[in-house]
Amino acid sequence: MKTSPIAILAALLVAAPSLAQDAANGEKEFRKCKACHMIQSPDGTDVVKGGKTGPNLYGIVGRAAGHEEGYKYSDALIKLGETGEIWNAADLEAYITDPNTFVEEKVGDASLKTKMTFKMNRNQADVVAFLAQHSPDAGGEAAAEAPAEAAEAPAE
């Protein structure tokens, strides 16, 4: 049976989000994040030494928003957590692209502002794939949850 070029193209487009994610590149891109964030396992092992301005990102994929023990979250993230938000790959990509817009769209309150002022304008899927590797509750497929639209977001 001969496969049509259209069928091959369609299969590639469906697979594109998972092909576009590169956790090794995400680890390099995470250097931009470590000024404020660390990744430290519960036993105290540093995966990435970093700042403490932001919460520890170990286990972020699969964790409820605004619920890292010992971190004082903004009202925006507390409200986001109250909506039942559980961080998945697609939402993390959208959040790190524009934190305040993400929260506004999810919570419906433009007056709420996050503490995160940094906006990542490229390689978000790679960073999330890297974070998913250090998220035991990610279910192994969290990095592949990102929709094609997120992979096609224009760079700023």
Side-chain angles (χ1 to χ4, degrees):
M1 178 178 193
K2 193 172 184 179
T3 306
S4 77
I6 293 174
I8 293 170
L9 180 60
L12 287 173
L13 288 174
V14 168
S18 61
L19 294 174
Q21 298 163 353
D22 179 352
N25 186 52
E27 183 174 10
K28 291 176 198 164
E29 289 292 321
F30 189 79
R31 286 183 276 205
K32 297 171 187 171
C33 309
K34 72 180 195 172
C36 296
H37 297 279
M38 70 173 120
I39 301 176
Q40 186 180 70
S41 68
D43 69 4
T45 302
D46 286 324
V47 176
V48 176
K49 285 188 177 189
K52 295 181 181 178
T53 303
N56 177 8
L57 296 181
Y58 184 86
I60 188 71
V61 180
R63 181 167 73 206
H67 285 86
E68 172 62 19
E69 188 71 33
Y71 183 75
K72 184 169 174 25
Y73 284 94
S74 65
D75 289 342
L77 266 286
I78 291 170
K79 293 282 187 195
L80 182 63
E82 289 171 356
T83 70
E85 175 71 22
I86 303 295
W87 289 119
N88 62 44
D91 284 354
L92 277 170
E93 284 184 47
Y95 179 78
I96 65 177
T97 300
D98 191 340
N100 288 321
T101 298
F102 176 83
V103 171
E104 178 183 343
E105 289 173 358
K106 287 283 189 167
V107 177
D109 186 346
S111 70
L112 294 171
K113 300 298 177 207
T114 70
K115 292 180 182 180
M116 188 163 148
T117 58
F118 180 76
K119 295 179 181 182
M120 185 168 276
N121 60 16
R122 62 184 171 169
N123 301 318
Q124 297 93 324
D126 294 346
V127 171
V128 173
F130 172 66
L131 291 171
Q133 288 183 332
H134 304 288
S135 295
D137 294 334
E141 296 183 40
E145 291 176 7
E149 301 85 52
E152 297 169 6
E156 292 179 19

